[in-house]
Amino acid sequence: MTKDVIALTRRMPDPLTVLAGLLSGGPDKLVETVGEDAVVRLCDEEGRPLVSVEAPLLVQVAGEAERLLGATAPAVPFWWTEARATTGVEEAERLAGTFAARLIALAGGSAWPPEAARSVAVVKTDGVSVAPTPAAQPAIDALTDKVAVVIQDRPVVAMTAWLSDAFRATADAELGLQIVTSPGTTLSPAVRNSLTGWPSRWVVQDERDGYYDGLSGAVLRWQNGMFATVEAADATPDDPRTPVAASFKEFTDTGERQLAISFRTVHPADDRLVLGGALEAVWRELTGNPPAGWGTAEPANLPWSLRQLTDVAHDRSPAPTWVVVVGSPDRPGLATVRISRTTGGVEEDVTLAFGYGAGEEPPVDALPRVAEILATRHHLQSMLIQIRKARRDLAVPPRFEGPGVPVAFVLGAEEVREMPGDRARRTPLSEPPVQLGPKTRPALYYPLPGDPSDLSGWQDFERLVRHLKGA
């Protein structure tokens, strides 16, 4: 049985409903709160947590339960309440299921997974105890002096509030975060984009090779307090090769594609500044609609609003703000945005992807227009556009996917102006850059003639970057 149980209810679980759920282990079960009372824990006789329950979250964005759980949720708005049982304790897992079942019985709705929440009977936990908690974060299952380990058994590992807190805690402690999943699990792009620094990694259980890295395919073993790569039998100090798991190499091109766009804007710091406009402009140009929703974690629970996004970033300043933005179910789209205050102003770093099926074509012809809007209206600094052989639903599988191939690079007007001479305009590429905006202060759009079916576009991109840097 899973250790994560989620109640999706039509009505908000009021205090009496939550109390009924907390009585799942009987009236004498110890209860405590942590995280400024945002998390409630049911504990064993020693005060160690059996089940941790997040505060209910109001979800006002359609399609999030389907995207992240493969579950059918009540019509929006609905309430999302997570219960996380301590790993490997059967009674704790049953306790989490009973908690969710009682919430559903009183507030209506459904649970994920449905088989976990079939009984509302009191769970016998007398005498049950758990190992000392490895860390203050409920999401962390094991802790060493090198990494924190999180075990996830969801269909999609998303950047939930639990996991976001785990990323933050491990970063503050200068530790890596290693996420362990079964082979059928995928990652949300929001999590994939956060697993960037060694020794953080996605660890996939595998029948043939034991464990492997879900993003690189490298075979892993638990050694010296963390999952680390295994050396190949013929490895040498000059060529420290690592075997690649057979499961990772089982790639089939289904014809699905992703249009991936990463860009940075730098706005002058101003009390009248409204954030998110650049992302909305790209979304409208490429899909015909604005984003559907956003949030500071997944599921994205708030309807899209430039003003609310700006207010959150303003309230958190000078600390950075990270948000996830999603589209409607009929056109999969997901972006992560990091907003930070720097000496240059207010920066928005955006990583965005849209998914297309085998019979759909990414709107490449619209990209110059998108670049011009960002350059002339939203203080664009730079932008890279790629096409990837990857899933339409944007989920990241533990399998090899075709690498992205760059099809265009854009340099903002300020960056072009600061470059000496005609370096920005005279490039080693066969096709000259396209000027965007006014002739007196243009941005430049560099088409990259690489074929999306191969990697030649990267060669062109590397030549361009070396040239722009004066190398």
Side-chain angles (χ1 to χ4, degrees):
M1 185 181 294
T2 181
K3 64 178 180 302
D4 288 345
V5 183
I6 301 170
L8 308 171
T9 59
R10 289 190 291 270
R11 298 183 296 278
M12 177 182 177
D14 59 30
L16 289 179
T17 300
V18 174
L19 178 61
L22 294 174
L23 290 173
S24 300
D28 55 351
K29 192 56 56 188
L30 297 177
V31 177
E32 68 172 5
T33 60
V34 295
E36 299 180 350
D37 297 336
V39 177
V40 179
R41 289 173 165 174
L42 291 174
C43 304
D44 66 8
E45 296 173 354
E46 301 297 324
R48 293 177 295 226
L50 289 165
V51 176
S52 300
V53 179
E54 272 273 337
L57 178 70
L58 178 62
V59 177
Q60 305 174 67
V61 181
E64 285 296 87
E66 291 80 359
R67 178 176 73 90
L68 299 177
L69 302 175
T72 301
V76 293
F78 64 90
W79 293 86
W80 179 302
T81 307
E82 297 204 15
R84 181 175 176 84
T86 297
T87 303
V89 181
E90 182 180 352
E91 291 83 359
E93 295 171 357
R94 290 168 51 206
L95 199 61
T98 300
F99 172 85
R102 292 187 173 195
L103 259 62
I104 294 165
L106 295 172
S110 59
W112 178 89
E115 65 272 12
R118 290 180 175 169
S119 173
V120 296
V122 172
V123 178
K124 299 295 184 181
T125 56
D126 296 340
V128 173
S129 62
V130 299
T133 52
Q137 298 296 327
I140 294 176
D141 295 291
L143 187 67
T144 73
D145 60 348
K146 297 182 178 69
V147 299
V149 178
V150 174
I151 301 173
Q152 292 274 279
D153 57 357
R154 302 181 180 211
V156 180
V157 178
M159 188 60 81
T160 60
W162 302 103
L163 194 56
S164 178
D165 288 344
F167 268 106
R168 189 178 305 111
T170 53
D172 291 344
E174 298 183 348
L175 299 173
L177 183 67
Q178 299 192 333
I179 302 172
V180 181
T181 74
S182 63
T185 297
T186 62
L187 295 188
S188 161
V191 177
R192 165 65 180 88
N193 295 339
S194 299
L195 286 173
T196 55
W198 181 89
S200 297
R201 62 172 80 243
W202 177 19
V203 181
V204 181
Q205 297 174 326
D206 184 63
E207 291 184 355
R208 287 175 285 185
D209 291 292
Y211 298 93
Y212 68 91
D213 188 302
L215 300 179
S216 71
V219 175
L220 306 173
R221 295 287 184 273
W222 181 262
Q223 41 194 333
N224 300 320
M226 65 178 180
F227 285 98
T229 55
V230 175
E231 286 190 358
D234 56 351
T236 65
D238 295 331
D239 186 11
R241 281 177 285 174
T242 297
V244 176
S247 298
F248 182 79
K249 294 184 285 187
E250 295 173 348
F251 168 73
T252 301
D253 186 359
T254 62
E256 294 175 293
R257 296 291 185 269
Q258 291 177 13
L259 177 62
I261 304 172
S262 55
F263 64 89
R264 173 180 292 178
T265 61
V266 183
H267 309 277
D270 189 302
D271 290 340
R272 296 170 296 176
L273 174 63
V274 176
L275 297 167
L279 176 60
E280 179 177 304
V282 174
W283 216 294
R284 286 184 181 276
E285 284 295 316
L286 295 179
T287 71
N289 295 296
W294 72 286
T296 55
E298 291 180 291
N301 65 310
L302 298 170
W304 177 247
S305 168
L306 297 177
R307 175 50 60 189
Q308 288 184 346
L309 173 61
T310 302
D311 289 344
V312 168
H314 184 271
D315 291 343
R316 295 186 176 189
S317 182
T321 296
W322 180 96
V323 301
V324 60
V325 182
V326 299
S328 59
D330 60 332
R331 171 54 62 212
L334 187 142
T336 58
V337 184
R338 181 177 175 84
I339 301 166
S340 53
R341 180 70 182 268
T342 68
T343 55
V346 180
E347 295 187 1
E348 292 181 279
D349 284 293
V350 179
T351 301
L352 166 65
F354 294 107
Y356 300 89
E360 301 174 311
E361 289 295 329
V364 177
D365 293 343
L367 296 176
R369 170 63 178 164
V370 169
E372 184 166 29
I373 290 173
L374 294 185
T376 57
R377 304 179 192 175
H378 298 283
H379 304 279
L380 177 69
Q381 185 180 71
S382 62
M383 177 167 66
L384 176 63
I385 304 167
Q386 304 175 58
I387 292 180
R388 302 183 61 235
K389 295 179 181 180
R391 292 168 53 141
R392 183 182 188 273
D393 65 5
L394 306 179
V396 182
R399 303 284 185 273
F400 173 80
E401 288 188 312
V405 175
V407 295
F409 177 72
V410 185
L411 202 60
E414 185 65 22
E415 284 61 40
V416 171
R417 187 185 68 83
E418 292 179 354
M419 204 159 288
D422 285 341
R423 182 189 300 168
R425 295 173 177 82
R426 299 181 181 274
T427 73
L429 302 180
S430 59
E431 191 171 345
V434 178
Q435 292 194 26
L436 306 175
K439 294 181 179 180
T440 57
R441 192 179 174 83
L444 295 177
Y445 180 97
Y446 301 91
L448 296 168
D451 183 346
S453 65
D454 61 38
L455 297 181
S456 62
W458 281 117
Q459 299 171 356
D460 297 317
F461 178 65
E462 290 171 1
R463 289 167 57 209
L464 174 63
V465 171
R466 286 197 301 267
H467 169 79
L468 294 176
K469 290 182 176 180

